[in-house]
């Protein structure tokens, strides 16, 4: 590891990384922070995305393979003091590894050029933890892309990146897409667009999910607005067999995506 340990919280390198905790600076610098060994590992696997890596001495000993891989890729690795890592970290207990990465999202047209069969769209989703968990569920279910509409949380938000557990680096992510335009393009590519909402007349048990499908998931507190429900081909709810009032957004999304994935694989 080149250079001495970073201890100055006001050093230009630390300040440049710290500013990426703000969305405006992420957009301006076209960079974001990926914190923790899992996120760093997946960023390095993608190749060409990691710009620099901060690591404490303890993390260097725990994860020498990540330090080695970063060095092999020519990524500058900076040893940081615990105080500096706490300044950069957005968690209560920093894990000692933090990467500065290039933004990885793609245009909607590029994501749809891959002839997707399963897409997750987040409309008006504001909670970063939920959004990141939906990305992780979509990745696990074999979805082809995740679309963040223009009224949704920034997928590069630190909590969202952590909740995705590396899935942000695994599948095409689209950001800032207007809902109507995205729905139109999905339909033009032959996908059936389903809105997941508790007001749906049909349940997952009632609909055929074997064809190419795009799911729209809305805000956990107030669901999807009427205008978005009207644009979907159908509104579908997750059946509740017990006494729970509802499922949270990420759980409901996982159920819907896995239902589609299973139907597509057995059809």
């Amino acid at each position: 590891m080149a250079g001495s340990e970073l201890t100055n919280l006001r050093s230009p390198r630390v300040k440049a990384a710290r500013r990426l905790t703000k969305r405006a600076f992420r957009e301006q610098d076209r960079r974001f922070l990926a914190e923790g060994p899992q996120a760093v590992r997946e960023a390095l696997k993608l190749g060409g995305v990691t710009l620099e890596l901060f690591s404490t001495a303890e993390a260097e000993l725990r994860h020498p393979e990540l330090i080695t891989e970063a060095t092999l890729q020519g990524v500058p690795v900076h040893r940081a003091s615990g105080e500096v890592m706490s300044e950069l970290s957005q968690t209560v207990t920093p894990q000692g590894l933090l990467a500065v990465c290039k933004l990885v999202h793609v245009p909607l047209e590029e994501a749809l050029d891959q002839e997707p069969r399963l897409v997750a769209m987040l409309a008006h989703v504001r909670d970063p933890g939920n959004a990141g968990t939906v990305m992780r569920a979509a990745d696990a279910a074999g979805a082809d892309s995740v679309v963040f509409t223009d009224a949704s949380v920034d997928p590069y938000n630190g909590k969202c990146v952590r909740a995705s557990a590396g899935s942000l680096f695994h599948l095409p992510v689209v950001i800032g897409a207007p809902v109507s335009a995205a729905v139109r393009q999905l339909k033009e590519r032959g996908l059936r667009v389903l809105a997941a909402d508790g007001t749906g007349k049909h349940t997952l048990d009632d609909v055929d999910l074997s064809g190419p499908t795009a799911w729209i998931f809305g805000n956990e507190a107030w669901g999807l607005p009427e205008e978005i429900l009207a644009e979907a081909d159908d509104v579908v709810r997750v059946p509740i067999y017990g006494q729970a009032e509802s499922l949270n957004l990420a759980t409901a999304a996982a159920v819907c995506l896995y239902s589609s994935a299973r139907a597509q694989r057995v059809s």
Side-chain angles (χ1 to χ4, degrees):
M1 185 175 299
S4 58
E5 183 176 75
L6 284 171
T7 59
N8 184 359
L9 301 183
R10 297 185 178 182
S11 74
R13 180 169 285 125
V14 173
K15 290 172 68 175
R18 177 62 183 169
R19 70 187 248 128
L20 299 178
T21 59
K22 304 295 185 182
R23 182 171 188 168
F25 291 127
R26 291 195 293 269
E27 293 176 349
Q28 180 178 320
D29 295 352
R30 309 292 296 169
R31 300 178 175 195
F32 72 103
L33 301 177
E35 184 176 352
Q38 179 66 14
V40 169
R41 181 177 294 108
E42 301 312 308
L44 289 170
K45 284 181 182 177
L46 193 55
V49 167
T50 308
L51 298 173
E52 56 183 334
L53 179 64
F54 294 85
S55 175
T56 62
E58 293 78 8
E60 179 186 355
L61 293 174
R62 288 196 304 271
H63 305 284
E65 76 286 357
L66 299 181
I67 305 301
T68 299
E69 180 59 30
T71 303
L72 289 173
Q73 291 187 25
V75 175
V77 180
H78 315 297
R79 178 176 290 169
S81 68
E83 187 177 16
V84 165
M85 190 59 71
S86 294
E87 176 73 9
L88 296 177
S89 173
Q90 297 176 69
T91 62
V92 176
T93 307
Q95 298 181 65
L97 282 170
L98 183 142
V100 176
C101 300
K102 296 178 183 177
L103 303 188
V104 295
H105 62 275
V106 300
L108 179 61
E109 294 74 14
E110 181 178 328
L112 297 183
D113 280 345
Q114 306 303 314
E115 299 183 359
R117 289 184 54 80
L118 183 57
V119 173
M121 181 188 299
L122 284 71
H124 301 279
V125 174
R126 305 293 173 79
D127 181 82
N130 263 332
T133 305
V134 172
M135 270 197 286
R136 184 177 184 178
D139 182 19
D144 299 292
S145 65
V146 177
V147 178
F148 284 72
T149 63
D150 51 7
S152 288
V153 67
D154 179 15
Y156 300 115
N157 172 288
K159 187 175 181 180
C160 190
V161 175
R162 292 193 301 276
S164 81
S167 290
L168 173 63
F169 300 104
H170 294 167
L171 73 175
V173 174
V174 177
I175 68 172
V179 175
S180 295
V183 169
R184 183 182 67 253
Q185 291 186 59
L186 287 162
K187 289 182 178 181
E188 289 174 352
R189 298 301 180 100
L191 283 89
R192 184 184 183 198
V193 177
L194 301 179
D197 196 87
T199 64
K201 293 181 179 179
H202 300 117
T203 73
L204 281 172
D205 296 335
D206 305 324
V207 294
D208 179 7
L209 299 174
S210 60
T213 302
W215 283 98
I216 308 178
F217 304 110
N219 184 281
E220 182 166 325
W222 58 80
L224 289 165
E226 288 296 329
E227 60 269 22
I228 293 180
L229 296 176
E231 293 193 55
D233 292 312
D234 202 350
V235 181
V236 181
R237 57 186 169 86
V238 177
I240 302 294
Y241 303 120
Q243 298 183 58
E245 180 185 3
S246 62
L247 296 172
N248 73 11
L249 168 63
T251 303
V255 172
C256 293
L257 291 165
Y258 266 92
S259 295
S260 284
R262 182 178 183 278
Q264 291 179 1
R265 281 160 174 74
V266 300
S267 62

